[in-house]
Amino acid sequence: MVFAADNRCVARLFPLKSASFFNNLGQLFVSAQETALKPVNIGICGIGTVGGGTVDVLCRNAVEIAARSGRDVKILQLGSRRPPKCDIGDAIVSSDIFDVAVNPDIDILVELIGGTTTARDLVMKAIANGKHVVTANKALIAEYGNEIFAAAAKHGVTVAFEAAVAGGIPIIKALREGLSGNRIEWLAGIINGTGNFILTEMDDRERGFAEVLAEAQELGYAEADPTFDVEGIDAAHKLVILTALAFGVPLQFDKVYTEGITKIELRDIKFARELGYRIKHLGIARRHGDRLEMRVHPTLIPQERLIANVNGVMNAVLVQGDAVGPTLYCGAGAGGEATASAVVADIIDLVRTLDATPEQRVPPLAHFGEPDAGREFIGIAEVVCAHYLRMTVLDETGVLTKISQILANAGISIEAVIQKEARRGEKTVPLVLITNEVADRTITDAVVQIEATAMVEGSVMRIRVEELAG
Ligand code: HSE
């Protein structure tokens, strides 16, 4: 840390070589420059995986951060019940995180404690005390974002949340700024690193679910409650945020259909491969006229799609804009420094706009159209897509005919089929089908009928299939 010789955790501005140039321009310019040199004080609450990563990145990349921010960024205070493991320089450590929210010297509070109870109180307190907020907390934004942004607008501060979705991928910035000239038609993303890590390890190495999940926890990818990862809740939080940004609608966590990956078996991954697909856990949001669909579930994707080859803890978001067409954003979706990358980017953005009026800043969530527009979502029963069906059937004549008949009666056609020979001594065989695109309720009804026949053992495994073509 050449530029932090006094060992403070301070991002240093380059020496102001051009001071005399500015002096020649007169007092007003010099004063403005002097104001810009005042360091910005930040307080970080929560020094776990992401908090520690944020401190490390701020210190290590101090020179770049100062140059890009236009002024010094100083970590003045940390809120943490446990002593931080990282080097914190001369920052004050407060065991009561609320001390950070009320400290008059703090300009930006960085919330990295997670959860929605204390975090919500902390963020609201910081806003009420006139502090800008940076958060990585997807649950907080998805569930309480509408209230938080309203409070922020009232107090003239900004709440930034790049790190809340897809870890280090700057997808919030892409949607808010890079794609802002587009009408977004749909987006689909692998937005839970833990889930993708588990599916990839099962696929590549045939490892067991529990073993891989434990490794994801050790690596700091998984949520404090890992059921949020494997049951799809974490991905649902992120999808709600992406949907609000992409379609200009309020955050509506209660509208997202959610399925996790716990029912996916190794044999489904293998059958999917045989049929030319990969199984990924996707969050999908799509516009249908004035209505939207918003769903999270395991999905078969053609294996030639780039997104089907995004593996391990990597996340990817595929966005279809009307002007640009498809664009894919890919990178590490979890982990300390990857997420810190997004946290620090928000800090720099905020420092850059500290002197702007609230109206001059890019709004966190722009609502397109009437206040009530975009509140109507298509229920999962109406969603149309192809389906993968796997069932265990008796190895007898006429079984395939019977099942085809049930599907045909429902107007469902079979696009692909795998049926293996029975192993010696076994009376049942697996039967795998891919259907054409039909409404979810049609498949649901057909599956009920199939399960009711004496020829099928146990329940039918069904996974949605998406082509993800522009
Ligand atoms: N548990 C989350 C994941 C962390 O695995 O994606 C990043 O949000």
Side-chain angles (χ1 to χ4, degrees):
M1 292 199 294
V2 178
F3 287 87
D6 60 356
N7 226 9
R8 287 183 309 145
C9 269
V10 170
R12 295 193 159 279
L13 192 68
F14 285 122
L16 192 59
K17 290 192 190 117
S18 47
S20 58
F21 170 71
F22 285 116
N23 279 334
N24 292 339
L25 290 181
Q27 189 59 39
L28 187 65
F29 222 108
V30 172
S31 307
Q33 193 63 26
E34 276 165 5
T35 308
L37 283 169
K38 193 170 148 290
V40 170
N41 292 327
I42 66 168
I44 303 177
C45 295
I47 313 294
T49 307
V50 179
T54 300
V55 173
D56 290 345
V57 171
L58 280 169
C59 291
R60 192 175 68 237
N61 298 343
V63 175
E64 291 84 350
I65 291 165
R68 290 174 180 138
S69 302
R71 61 168 105 169
D72 284 2
V73 176
K74 176 173 169 56
I75 302 173
L76 187 73
Q77 192 172 10
L78 298 170
S80 173
R81 265 186 245 123
R82 274 165 288 165
K85 289 188 189 135
C86 51
D87 177 7
I88 57 158
D90 62 0
I92 315 158
V93 182
S94 307
S95 56
D96 183 352
I97 50 172
F98 287 89
D99 287 352
V100 183
V102 296
N103 181 342
D105 294 327
I106 293 292
D107 300 299
I108 300 172
L109 181 141
V110 182
E111 182 278 305
L112 301 173
I113 63 171
T116 52
T117 311
T118 311
R120 180 182 176 196
D121 294 343
L122 177 72
V123 165
M124 293 303 267
K125 185 135 205 152
I127 291 171
N129 280 277
K131 310 208 180 304
H132 300 281
V133 173
V134 172
T135 179
N137 193 330
K138 51 260 159 160
L140 183 69
I141 297 296
E143 294 182 36
Y144 300 103
N146 297 323
E147 160 195 335
I148 287 169
F149 294 124
K154 187 170 148 212
H155 291 275
V157 295
T158 298
V159 175
F161 52 94
E162 180 67 70
V165 182
I169 307 174
I171 185 65
I172 304 295
K173 211 170 186 46
L175 286 169
R176 269 171 40 164
E177 299 178 31
L179 298 177
S180 56
N182 284 261
R183 190 158 222 257
I184 305 300
E185 290 164 356
W186 55 264
L187 60 84
I190 298 170
I191 44 181
N192 182 267
T194 303
N196 203 32
F197 183 67
I198 293 173
L199 289 177
T200 305
E201 288 291 308
M202 284 172 75
D203 193 354
D204 289 353
R205 289 186 242 272
E206 305 200 358
R207 290 176 69 193
F209 188 96
E211 181 200 348
V212 187
L213 176 59
E215 190 183 339
Q217 286 177 286
E218 256 169 52
L219 292 166
Y221 302 156
E223 295 304 297
D225 176 355
T227 57
F228 274 48
D229 296 294
V230 296
E231 296 296 355
I233 302 156
D234 178 76
H237 283 140
K238 293 164 180 168
L239 182 65
V240 166
I241 299 172
L242 292 178
T243 304
L245 284 161
F247 301 102
V249 299
L251 295 149
Q252 294 163 89
F253 182 61
D254 57 331
K255 303 280 174 57
V256 55
Y257 172 82
T258 307
E259 268 179 39
I261 58 167
T262 49
K263 295 198 182 101
I264 301 293
E265 296 181 24
L266 186 55
R267 54 185 165 160
D268 295 312
I269 292 173
K270 287 183 170 170
F271 282 131
R273 266 192 186 273
E274 210 172 322
L275 290 159
Y277 294 91
R278 298 269 165 81
I279 300 180
K280 293 290 176 189
H281 190 235
L282 290 189
I284 300 170
R286 197 185 301 266
R287 183 198 294 281
H288 291 277
D290 288 344
R291 300 196 302 160
L292 293 171
E293 60 183 53
M294 188 164 58
R295 49 194 167 98
V296 166
H297 51 70
T299 314
L300 270 73
I301 319 173
Q303 63 194 11
E304 64 272 17
R305 299 274 178 272
L306 281 177
I307 194 169
N309 297 286
V310 172
N311 293 321
V313 72
M314 301 292 267
N315 279 196
V317 184
L318 179 58
V319 184
Q320 178 76 24
D322 67 338
V324 69
T327 52
L328 180 69
Y329 308 85
C330 179
E337 289 214 358
T339 311
S341 162
V343 170
V344 174
D346 270 349
I347 293 172
I348 295 171
D349 252 5
L350 263 177
V351 175
R352 274 279 166 204
T353 56
L354 275 185
D355 297 324
T357 61
E359 295 74 34
Q360 288 169 315
R361 299 184 194 125
V362 179
L365 291 174
H367 191 225
F368 314 157
E370 299 301 314
D372 276 337
R375 288 193 177 270
E376 219 186 303
F377 282 80
I378 294 174
I380 193 69
E382 277 184 78
V383 167
V384 173
C385 57
H387 284 258
Y388 160 100
L389 304 177
R390 174 182 51 79
M391 56 202 90
T392 304
V393 298
L394 295 180
D395 184 27
E396 285 174 7
T397 317
V399 171
L400 192 53
T401 312
K402 171 80 181 159
I403 288 163
S404 315
Q405 198 59 56
I406 293 172
L407 292 173
N409 290 346
I412 303 167
S413 70
I414 297 171
E415 303 288 315
V417 61
I418 298 177
Q419 184 172 14
K420 305 273 185 200
E421 272 180 309
R423 288 208 207 116
R424 190 172 297 170
E426 291 202 358
K427 293 196 172 64
T428 58
V429 285
L431 173 65
V432 176
L433 311 168
I434 301 272
T435 72
N436 65 331
E437 289 191 349
V438 286
D440 227 85
R441 78 154 61 83
T442 310
I443 282 284
T444 304
D445 293 346
V447 164
V448 169
Q449 288 181 54
I450 290 171
E451 286 175 343
T453 69
M455 296 168 174
V456 175
E457 225 177 51
S459 51
V460 174
M461 175 68 172
R462 52 180 284 197
I463 309 176
R464 294 174 187 84
V465 181
E466 289 282 348
E467 288 302 313
L468 299 184

